[in-house]
Amino acid sequence: MLKWSRTYKTKGELGDELVITATYYSAEYIEALVQKEAELNLWTESEMENYKYELLKVLKLTEYIPIMLSFDMKGAPLRMAPFDNKVTLWAGSKKLSPADYDRRFNFKLSGYREGLVYFPRYGENGKPYLEGISTLKLIIDGDIGPITMGKQIDFYWDVSHDDPSRLYAGRAAARLELERLIKRLNQLKDEKSKLEEQIAGIDKEIQMVQSRIEELERE
């Protein structure tokens, strides 16, 4: 599991200390995490599948590239708002900004705080950003606090062999797929209902136009 975590440490002149840890949720990391929790809690297979289901649901791997960030600040607090302007993910040559993140990162930070940051997994053309690349680089802007001002904060991962699709097997994946399909079905029903309303309005206008044409022809 440590293979997928990266740590940045720095100290200030007045004794301040900052530790930042970034964890990339690779397929290997997630599988190891599930196994670790199962062994620690002596879970049954069903309980393990349920934990995996809840974890995959939170990570939203089918839409995003999730990275867990933790900050441990001892000293002058960090001020990172707006946080989505402070972090960037480079997928090969593609520069990605957060699609979502833990909003607590926008508040003044002193002590320990951790949360997920989600980057888009697909481009506008539907192509995965991770397809065909070997390296991910996460950059955090050095102006988040006095202790890091003017410093480079970056983390690297080799993702050439990562395959998140292998996680989507078994009961946990089936439940996620079922939820996704139900959500999509409801969206399609809403779209159908709106289109039917539009068609009904067009039919009504057609009738009005035809009636007026008939009136004018009789005159």
Side-chain angles (χ1 to χ4, degrees), residues 52-63:
K52 180 180 177 181
Y53 160 77
E54 294 293 344
L55 179 60
L56 292 177
K57 190 174 180 179
V58 168
L59 295 177
K60 298 181 278 192
L61 290 174
T62 56
E63 302 175 66

Side-chain angles (χ1 to χ4, degrees), residues 4-5 12-13 15 34 47 64 67 80 83 91 96 101 109 115 128 131 142 149 157 159 165 168 179 202 212 215:
W4 296 100
S5 291
E13 295 179 357
V34 171
E47 289 172 326
Y64 303 114
I67 293 176
M80 305 190 290
F83 188 72
L96 309 179
Y101 61 94
L109 195 161
E131 185 177 287
M149 194 66 67
W157 294 274
V159 295
S165 64
Y168 288 85
E179 287 186 1
I202 292 172
R212 182 56 179 160
E215 289 177 5

Side-chain angles (χ1 to χ4, degrees), residues 30-198:
I30 293 169
E31 288 173 339
L33 180 59
V34 171
Q35 288 295 328
K36 177 187 175 184
E37 291 298 321
E39 292 172 6
L40 183 64
N41 296 286
L42 302 177
W43 283 336
T44 63
E45 183 179 350
S46 177
E47 289 172 326
M48 184 174 71
E49 283 292 326
N50 189 61
Y51 174 78
K52 180 180 177 181
Y53 160 77
E54 294 293 344
L55 179 60
L56 292 177
K57 190 174 180 179
V58 168
L59 295 177
K60 298 181 278 192
L61 290 174
T62 56
E63 302 175 66
Y64 303 114
I65 302 169
I67 293 176
M68 176 68 79
L69 286 178
S70 71
F71 296 83
D72 192 358
M73 182 66 229
K74 296 179 176 66
L78 304 177
R79 301 178 188 275
M80 305 190 290
F83 188 72
D84 53 341
N85 288 344
K86 306 298 184 183
V87 288
T88 303
L89 185 68
W90 285 90
S93 61
K94 300 292 185 181
K95 182 180 179 181
L96 309 179
S97 297
D100 196 9
Y101 61 94
D102 191 322
R103 291 302 192 270
R104 293 177 301 166
F105 287 143
N106 284 329
F107 296 97
K108 183 173 69 173
L109 195 161
S110 183
Y112 183 83
R113 189 174 300 161
E114 67 176 14
L116 283 165
V117 183
Y118 300 90
F119 295 90
R121 184 172 289 275
Y122 300 95
E124 293 181 357
N125 58 1
K127 183 179 179 181
Y129 285 122
L130 298 184
E131 185 177 287
I133 71 164
S134 59
T135 304
L136 274 182
K137 180 172 72 171
L138 179 73
I139 299 175
I140 299 178
D141 197 323
D143 71 357
I144 58 174
I147 194 171
T148 56
M149 194 66 67
K151 297 179 181 179
Q152 180 78 11
I153 308 172
D154 46 31
F155 309 88
Y156 293 86
W157 294 274
D158 180 354
V159 295
S160 56
H161 301 296
D162 186 33
D163 181 16
S165 64
R166 76 190 196 198
L167 295 167
Y168 288 85
R171 291 195 300 273
R175 288 175 65 185
L176 287 170
E177 177 70 4
L178 178 61
E179 287 186 1
R180 186 187 68 80
L181 291 174
I182 290 173
K183 182 179 179 180
R184 181 56 180 159
L185 179 61
N186 290 332
Q187 288 176 341
L188 291 172
K189 286 181 177 179
D190 289 341
E191 291 176 10
K192 180 183 177 183
S193 178
K194 291 176 182 178
L195 289 173
E196 287 174 343
E197 290 179 4
Q198 292 178 7

